[in-house]
Amino acid sequence: MLTANDFIPKVYSQTIESGSFQWSAPSNIALVKYWGKKDNQIPANPSVSFTLNNCKTITKLVFAKKEKQDIFSFDLLFEGKPKEDFKPKILKFLERIEIYLPFLKEYHFTIDTENTFPHSSGIASSASGMAALAMNLMSLEKALNPEMTEAYFYQKASLLARLGSGSACRSVKGQVVVWGNQANIEGSSDLYGVEFPNAIHDNFNNFQDTILLVDKGEKQVSSTVGHDLMHAHPYAERRFEQAHENLDKLNAIFESGNLDEFIKVVESEALTLHAMMMTSMPYFILMKPNTLQIINAIWKFRSATKIPVCFTLDAGANVHVLYPENVSEKVLQFIKDELVGFCQNGQYLCDEIGSGAIKLA
Ligand code: PMV
């Protein structure tokens, strides 16, 4: 089993003066949720997610060797314009990963980033954003050390992304990604995400995720604060065990293709995440009235039609509607007829399972 020290490089065989790379990295939606962490972004429990396809961040990294090599130096552009308020988070990220990429202070970087989803849609861009940046930095390390294997490249990219934002480590490679040690999932690790290694039934091919934008406002609770609330939480330990149990159940469900069982685990995980926030101190309700309206409408539609559609939630009010591709037409019609009215400005985003980060240049 690899340890974090295995990702600290020794000497590089190449030197590089300047250049650029560009990567896209997608968002992901957790089925078993990560909520609660230990030091160094080690998750309190394992999680599993579907990688998305359309909601992504595209980041170009331009680099050039500089004279003074004692501080980090970078410019940050968002949609082509300087964005000062993103810089502290990036600086903190560079500080955290310097031990793994000791060349960082040798270069001046220009980080030019944009998202394919609307700004302030309430969709967190931290997972896709940190993953896209980690991919670019790994391309630079690979240029300095061309002997690096592909397995190391992706594992380390995920490890770096994790240090930027935990869930970002699930946005690197694979359609279904597990992050966190789980006894019977071979290769699973707290340090990085891995492609789900076991059989996946055809029912999950091209699984659809339509994201209903219920509330596009600023997050009421940052995920940093949220994870922290699990520390003195009365139900935390039992919750962490439950995540292991649910991941075991999903392991079997992915193989059997049993969508009724899938729905039970996924909806229970979403409501448990919110229950944890309602029962922490301080406590939060992150759902909005329209979140509940949507959930109830989905339950009514499912019970009337027997169509296997379900929901999941992030740490916010938006609803991810999950369903197999072969019922897309009916579910989209239902969304248009009955759910759009609960979305802010009628907005929703159609996405589906994708396979991870892509090198663009
Ligand atoms: O990656 P973070 O620290 O923003 O945490 C994300 C937590 C959830 O989105 C609520 C759950 C998850 O596993 O993605």
Side-chain angles (χ1 to χ4, degrees), residues 241-307:
E241 284 170 26
Q242 181 201 38
H244 285 274
E245 292 156 16
N246 281 341
L247 185 49
D248 262 345
K249 285 185 192 162
L250 272 187
N251 195 3
I253 290 165
F254 282 139
E255 182 166 10
S256 70
N258 187 329
L259 292 172
D260 292 336
E261 292 301 312
F262 176 80
I263 289 168
K264 282 190 210 161
V265 172
V266 168
E267 291 191 345
S268 166
E269 273 289 320
L271 294 179
T272 300
L273 170 71
H274 282 255
M276 288 297 116
M277 285 181 267
M278 286 194 244
T279 49
S280 57
M281 190 57 75
Y283 39 80
F284 297 94
I285 300 180
L286 301 183
M287 291 188 240
K288 297 283 181 199
N290 281 350
T291 312
L292 288 177
Q293 297 278 16
I294 290 168
I295 291 174
N296 280 300
I298 290 173
W299 284 346
K300 203 170 145 200
F301 175 78
R302 188 166 76 219
S303 140
T305 61
K306 308 289 174 238
I307 290 174

Side-chain angles (χ1 to χ4, degrees), residues 16-20 61-69 73 103-110 140:
I16 291 179
E17 284 303 312
S18 62
S20 72
L61 181 75
V62 181
F63 55 93
K65 272 256 164 89
K66 61 184 168 73
E67 292 268 299
K68 275 184 76 187
Q69 306 197 336
S73 160
F103 57 80
L104 290 175
K105 282 184 182 152
E106 295 172 21
Y107 294 94
H108 175 78
F109 295 105
T110 304
L140 176 51

